[in-house]
Structure formats: C-alpha cells, structure tokens
Amino acid sequence: MWGRWARLLEAAKRTAMKKNVSKEQHHPDALRASFSGKLGYVLAVAGSAVGLGNIWRFPYLAAKYGGGMFLLVYLILMLTFGYALIVSETALGRMTGKSPVGAFEKFGKSLPFRFGGWVNAVIPMLIVPYYCVIGGWVIKYLVEYLRGSVMELAEDTYFTSFISSSVSVEFWFLLFSVMVFLVIIAGVKHGVERVSKIMMPILVILAIFVALYSVTRPGAVEGIKYFLIPNFANFSWMTVVAAMGQMFYSLSIAMGILYTYGSYIKKDVDIEKSTTQVEVFDTAIAILAGLMIIPAVFAFSGGDPKMLQAGPSLMFITLPKVFASMGMGTFAGVLFFLLVLFAALTSAISLMETSVSTITDELHWSRTKACLLMAVVMAAVGSGSALGFGALDFVQIFGMSILDFFDFLTNSIMMPLAALSTCILIIRVVGFAAVAQEVECSSAFRRKKIYVFFMKYLAPVCIGIILVSSIANVMGWISM
Ligand code: PHE
C-alpha cells in the first residue's frame, strides 16, 4: 500500500514540477521547489505551525505559568515580536533564496554570520528527537483507545507508570520515528500534506466539540476564569520566559524554518497578510486546546495546584478523564489521538525535512548519509529523552529530566540566540530599507514603522532580558 501510494504521488509530483519549471526561471535558484500559490504557502506554514506545540505544549504551559496572565503575555508577544520576526525571516529567505545558513553567508562569511546561520539551523535537529518521543506517547494512547482501555487510561497513575516503563516508551518512540523516516525517504511528504489538509479541519471540529463538553462540566467555570482572565497575582518572570519560548516553538520562528519557506515563495505573496493569517490560525487552535484541557482540570480535580503544575503530562492525564466521562469515550479517544497523531506527524516531518536538507545543502552530503546522521542524533537524544523518566531518571541536567532539558535548551536559550542573530543581521547589515523593499514587492508595507520599532528596540531588549534570566534561573542564581 505504501509502495503504491508513493508511486502515485511521485507521478503527481513530476507533473506538478514540469508545470512549475517555466514559472520558476526568474527565481534566484531555479531548481528550488516552489509553492504552488499564495494559499499553498499559507497552508504549508500553518501545517508546520500547528502541531504538538498547540495541543500538548500550550495548555500545560498556560496551566503552569499563570493561566490568563500567560495567555495575555503570549498574545502581546505574538502580535509584536512574533509578527516582526516572521516578517523578517520570510523576507530574508525570499530575498536570498536560501535556507538560514546560506542566507546569513550571503551577507558575510566571518564567524558571526556562520554562527547566526547555524544556530538557526541546528535547532530543528535538536527538537525533532524529543518531538518524536511525544509522538510515541500519542501512538501508545491511540492504540490503547483502540483496545478499549478507556477506564484504565483515565486512572491517575496510568501515565506516570507508562512513561517510567522504559522499554515500552522506547518502542513507541522508535515506531513514530520510523514513520517519519519512511516518509522522508520515500519522499511522500506532499501526500502527507494533502492528507493533513483533510485531517486539520476534522481536528478543529472535534476540538470545538471536546472544548464545549469540557467547559460545560460542573466546576469548569473556575477553569475558564483561570485560563481567560489575567490575574496579576499569577505573574512571574517565568511567565514571560515560557510565553516567549512557546511563541517561537508554536509559530516555528527562530529555527530556520521560515527562512527556508520564504525562499520558496514568489514575489507576489503578501508577506504581511499571510503572517497575520498564520498567527490567527495557530493561536485559535492553541486557545481551543487550552479550553479543552484547563477547565477539565478544574472539573475533575478542583483546580488542584499539583495538577496545574503537571507539565508535559497534563494532556495525557486530563483528556482521558474527559473522554471516560463522555459515554462514548472510545470513539472520542480514538478520533482525537488519531488527529493529534497526524498533526504531530506533519510537524515532525517538516522538522526532519529541514534538518536533512540543511545537512545535504551545507555539508554536501547525500540524502542517505544525511538521514543516517539524523538517525544517530535521534537514537542518542531521542532515546535519552524517552528513557529519562524510567531507566535514566537518575540523569538530571540542571534539575531537569533529559526531555525537559532539551526543550528548555532549544526554546529558552537557542531560539532567543537565533532570534537575536536575525535582529542583528537586519539592524547592522541588511538594513530596514532592504527588508521593506522586499515586503513591498507584493503590496504596501502597512505596518512598516511599527515593524522597525519592534525590531530595533523591543526585540533585542526582550531577548537580552529573557536570555539572561533563563540562564540565571538554571544556574540557580535567581528563582523565578
Ligand atoms: N510549530 C510546531 C508545533 O507547534 C513545531 C514545529 C516547529 C514544527 C518547527 C515544525 C517546525 O508543534
């Protein structure tokens, strides 16, 4: 079945490529693939953006770092800083026609340029291993729902005992990773994207349905208030640090992806408008996921602070309780985890594809060799993260499990550095005039003044503060 699917898709791709050749000749790099149109681009970016970040990561961070306060800080950061960075990365990608390493090197070959490009490019390589561990958890839950274990999954201790059972976690992690590799090697990425276009709307409808169910449970009102109404008493520095990391993660910013996607688009794509569309869509899904999970925490455990602090396990502990109480729990559980699996797969594939193409482009390695290198990275970092709650739970890095450590390292340290590199590149080298000119290729740059203000003053200051405070926090110099 895989073989036939792959052959059909290859044939479709060849026809599409033939059609595209003539259109691409004016492009900086005529051989570069290109999106079929404006909608294709928005959908591709949205497909990469919407993933476990929205459904699994956002609700647990919001629950942990202040509910409504977290949401407010997240929205402000996204509309100002996130917006400016998406526009910048996309414009630089389109201007140079390159992924981050090439884009930075186009402006200079000295060490700072190399560092700027590589820090952006390495992040996906470090995220994809632990992303696949969570993907494995999702498959495990899907399989359990298929077997009808609705009641067992809803037990408090189910998740904890699952993640400490090393062999099982490793098995599901490997299964998810193999699925990702198969798609990358067979080159059926476009097929998956097509399937996900059908799955995404179903996911949205199901999420609305589950959220409605969750917010109407007795006791859920407190949860809705906690999630939607900012309460300054719940604010801490960690709220800002976590919200900024989450914004990078969820919108796929500061990790080279948007440079790469920008390099694929034509001059007529309205960068400002597509940025807004992606932000609205991505945030809507995150808020929906928050409404599914946070009110349910209050309904099922009375807003127990320990539950709110549950972290990465929150989705896996709370949703099964919701499903178990729904009456048709098996159906809801199977459908939900199947859809999340697809959202996770499309994002993991885009992370892996970016990593593999950076290695092939920059080190001039063959695709097979690049896949082998990624397999080694996956085995090392991914297995470490998978076993970090079981056989390797004695390994604590700065007080964090291996998975949490890689999440922290990429989101709170490396992404701010990557974003800072982009800011400096634009301020010191490229110049705002050139970026504006690139955006204006397709339409007027409506928010130009405010964009320059965000990039010049807000972004470097924000990033500097965040970087220093997250390092100080892990070193134990300050507690946030
Ligand atoms: N943005 C994705 C998510 O929210 C994660 C991701 C980042 C995927 C970068 C691809 C590239 O899950």
Side-chain angles (χ1 to χ4, degrees):
M1 151 122 185
W2 264 103
R4 210 175 121 224
W5 195 33
R7 273 197 305 281
L8 279 175
L9 286 164
E10 277 306 315
K13 231 165 61 183
R14 273 198 300 277
T15 329
M17 256 154 64
K18 269 189 219 143
K19 274 196 218 144
N20 267 336
V21 172
S22 57
K23 288 190 225 155
E24 276 168 20
Q25 248 125 36
H26 66 282
H27 203 269
D29 181 353
L31 286 177
R32 243 184 145 71
S34 156
F35 290 114
S36 48
K38 295 174 201 173
L39 186 66
Y41 167 67
V42 172
L43 285 177
V45 179
S48 151
V50 175
L52 291 171
N54 308 60
I55 303 161
W56 156 76
R57 203 171 184 276
F58 180 87
Y60 92 66
L61 288 175
K64 191 166 174 178
Y65 294 113
M69 211 53 223
F70 178 89
L71 183 61
L72 180 69
V73 174
Y74 181 83
L75 291 176
I76 295 175
L77 282 173
M78 179 200 69
L79 291 171
T80 54
F81 186 23
Y83 157 79
L85 273 171
I86 300 185
V87 170
S88 306
E89 294 191 8
T90 316
L92 285 175
R94 188 168 73 176
M95 189 190 291
T96 55
K98 298 267 186 248
S99 327
V101 178
F104 273 79
E105 289 192 344
K106 219 158 188 173
F107 298 101
K109 296 249 187 278
S110 57
L111 194 64
F113 292 97
R114 290 250 160 101
F115 175 81
W118 277 104
V119 73
N120 272 279
V122 164
I123 296 170
M125 300 177 197
L126 292 180
I127 292 186
V128 70
Y130 82 79
Y131 204 90
C132 290
V133 174
I134 319 286
W137 298 354
V138 173
I139 307 188
K140 159 78 179 173
Y141 271 60
L142 173 61
V143 169
E144 286 301 326
Y145 275 110
L146 283 169
R147 292 173 54 196
S149 326
V150 188
M151 290 305 158
E152 289 86 333
L153 291 170
E155 277 163 23
D156 279 334
T157 50
Y158 188 89
F159 182 74
T160 352
S161 59
F162 161 61
I163 56 168
S164 51
S165 66
S166 306
V167 179
S168 169
V169 181
E170 180 71 13
F171 170 78
W172 298 109
F173 153 66
L174 288 177
L175 185 65
F176 186 90
S177 313
V178 167
M179 288 163 85
V180 174
F181 271 114
L182 276 181
V183 176
I184 297 284
I185 292 167
V188 288
K189 179 171 165 269
H190 298 285
V192 174
E193 271 171 18
R194 223 167 289 166
V195 176
S196 79
K197 273 174 210 158
I198 307 167
M199 303 296 264
M200 274 298 162
I202 308 180
L203 177 67
V204 175
I205 295 169
L206 186 75
I208 294 177
F209 183 73
V210 177
L212 279 176
Y213 182 81
S214 176
V215 297
T216 48
R217 288 313 82 209
V221 178
E222 282 310 308
I224 307 175
K225 283 195 200 149
Y226 176 73
F227 178 47
L228 296 182
I229 304 174
N231 177 353
F232 204 78
N234 293 331
F235 180 83
S236 77
W237 248 127
M238 255 336 255
T239 309
V240 186
V241 175
M244 185 154 101
Q246 172 62 14
M247 181 195 76
F248 290 147
Y249 191 97
S250 187
L251 291 168
S252 314
I253 314 178
M255 49 182 112
I257 309 263
L258 295 172
Y259 279 91
T260 313
Y261 280 17
S263 75
Y264 295 154
I265 54 174
K266 307 212 176 71
K267 296 286 182 193
D268 62 348
V269 172
D270 183 337
I271 296 185
E272 269 196 300
K273 196 163 129 202
S274 52
T275 301
T276 311
Q277 286 166 344
V278 169
E279 286 198 329
V280 168
F281 187 60
D282 190 71
T283 309
I285 306 258
I287 292 180
L288 213 49
L291 284 175
M292 271 186 330
I293 294 174
I294 299 176
V297 175
F298 282 76
F300 291 96
S301 46
D304 175 4
K306 222 175 87 223
M307 233 7 253
L308 287 173
Q309 297 293 316
S313 53
L314 192 62
M315 174 175 110
F316 296 91
I317 296 179
T318 308
L319 279 182
K321 289 193 202 297
V322 177
F323 295 149
S325 80
M326 275 172 84
M328 34 174 204
T330 302
F331 177 71
V334 168
L335 197 57
F336 178 80
F337 280 99
L338 188 67
L339 295 166
V340 174
L341 179 62
F342 261 89
L345 266 176
T346 53
S347 290
I349 289 163
S350 100
L351 281 164
M352 184 69 89
E353 178 66 36
T354 317
S355 311
V356 168
S357 65
T358 305
I359 302 170
T360 50
D361 283 358
E362 305 306 327
L363 303 182
H364 307 292
W365 285 18
S366 71
R367 219 176 140 79
T368 320
K369 217 167 136 193
C371 284
L372 280 176
L373 174 66
M374 279 313 293
V376 173
V377 176
M378 294 284 288
V381 179
S383 300
S385 304
L387 304 179
F389 302 100
L392 294 180
D393 67 356
F394 58 90
V395 182
Q396 295 276 317
I397 314 173
F398 297 113
M400 288 176 256
S401 70
I402 303 177
L403 190 148
D404 285 333
F405 171 74
F406 275 98
D407 191 66
F408 177 82
L409 175 72
T410 46
N411 283 272
S412 301
I413 311 274
M414 294 179 73
M415 291 186 200
L417 279 176
L420 193 61
S421 312
T422 300
C423 288
I424 297 175
L425 182 71
I426 291 185
I427 297 172
R428 302 285 300 270
V429 185
V430 182
F432 288 108
V435 176
Q437 203 185 358
E438 185 60 45
V439 175
E440 282 162 357
C441 282
S442 54
S443 61
F445 194 172
R446 291 169 290 269
R447 281 178 273 174
K448 183 164 144 189
K449 285 213 182 87
I450 194 127
Y451 163 82
V452 173
F453 173 79
F454 291 155
M455 286 300 282
K456 215 166 166 176
Y457 303 107
L458 187 75
V461 173
C462 262
I463 302 171
I465 296 176
I466 298 299
L467 207 52
V468 172
S469 39
S470 20
I471 295 173
N473 187 35
V474 287
M475 301 308 282
W477 298 331
I478 54 167
S479 80
M480 295 195 285

